Amino acid sequence: MKNMLLKGLLIDSTKVIIDKKTNPYWRAFLANGYGEDEGEYLALRPVEALYLLDFGRLILYKDSKEINYDEAFQIFSQVIENLWQYYVIYRDLRTRGFLVITTNDKLLPFEVFPRGVTRFESQPFAAVIIAESFRAIKLEELAYAIEKCKEKNLKLLIAIIDELGDVTYYLVEEALKAEATLKIFRSG
């Protein structure tokens, strides 16, 4: 895929479409986890488009004008809260060799496949929850993430990102439920 290049069109500030007729390599990108097949088009999500722009694999147009990574980031960030965090995690996982699929779940935005596979020959092994190093994860969010992962038979990866964009991952393999009781003693 080194010399493969896509040409895309930015529509409605959150979606990039790749016309299959004019992009002969669309199948290779789809197999490697980029976008969703929408009939005549391959639809990329913002983090996918940013990654491909960042690595020189996408030429992006808006209103017949070519736009670069910075311009695309500016457009997407007006609509997507925490875009920088999403992108840093997505880029980090991709550069580590993992195939990463974006989801519609804001709390678990990515599913991760093993290295060296296509999305058609394997299943994801983990879902990712993003946490900022200076902010605690809410217990109900963590419980939701664990439950969703159990439903899909996935492991939970907690991606902790610091202010500099450095990422540390923690794998949650098992969650224990414990009951807590409160005993009240009357004095006197």
Side-chain angles (χ1 to χ4, degrees):
M1 282 185 55
K2 286 188 177 187
N3 296 324
M4 295 182 199
L5 187 65
L6 291 175
K7 291 184 181 179
L9 178 64
L10 175 63
I11 57 172
D12 75 21
S13 299
T14 58
K15 188 176 185 181
V16 173
I17 58 169
I18 308 297
D19 184 359
K20 291 179 182 178
K21 292 177 185 170
T22 58
N23 288 280
Y25 302 118
W26 70 269
R27 281 185 188 88
F29 283 91
L30 180 64
N32 283 288
Y34 298 103
E36 293 295 326
D37 189 347
E38 293 191 357
E40 304 260 330
Y41 302 98
L42 179 66
L44 299 178
R45 293 184 191 235
V47 292
E48 296 168 327
L50 288 171
Y51 181 81
L52 292 170
L53 278 167
D54 200 8
F55 285 84
R57 310 299 291 289
L58 174 67
I59 299 171
L60 186 58
Y61 295 93
K62 181 178 189 248
D63 302 326
S64 301
K65 178 187 172 256
E66 186 176 334
I67 61 173
N68 63 28
Y69 171 89
D70 292 330
E71 293 167 322
F73 193 94
Q74 183 69 23
I75 292 166
F76 293 144
S77 65
Q78 291 174 4
V79 181
I80 301 168
E81 188 178 346
N82 301 322
L83 177 63
W84 179 78
Q85 293 170 348
Y86 290 131
Y87 179 67
V88 168
I89 301 297
Y90 182 85
R91 184 188 68 209
D92 186 68
L93 287 166
R94 280 281 185 177
T95 56
R96 291 174 187 249
F98 291 101
L99 190 148
V100 183
I101 302 292
T102 58
T103 71
N104 290 322
D105 191 330
K106 281 188 168 186
L107 192 60
L108 296 167
F110 307 119
E111 290 182 355
V112 183
F113 288 69
R115 291 181 177 108
V117 300
T118 70
R119 73 189 311 172
F120 302 120
E121 63 190 18
S122 185
Q123 295 294 318
F125 73 89
V128 178
I129 184 172
I130 299 171
E132 296 168 307
S133 63
F134 52 87
R135 190 172 313 169
I137 298 176
K138 293 179 182 174
L139 193 55
E140 56 270 4
E141 289 177 350
L142 189 57
Y144 168 85
I146 291 169
E147 197 57 40
K148 280 293 190 185
C149 287
K150 280 183 181 178
E151 288 173 13
K152 294 182 171 187
N153 197 27
L154 299 173
K155 294 181 179 181
L156 177 61
L157 274 179
I158 301 175
I160 299 180
I161 184 170
D162 68 15
E163 296 86 353
L164 300 175
D166 294 325
V167 184
T168 305
Y169 297 94
Y170 294 93
L171 180 62
V172 178
E173 292 193 25
E174 187 175 328
L176 300 175
K177 289 188 177 183
E179 283 188 34
T181 57
L182 177 63
K183 293 184 180 182
I184 302 174
F185 295 98
R186 182 182 290 167
S187 63

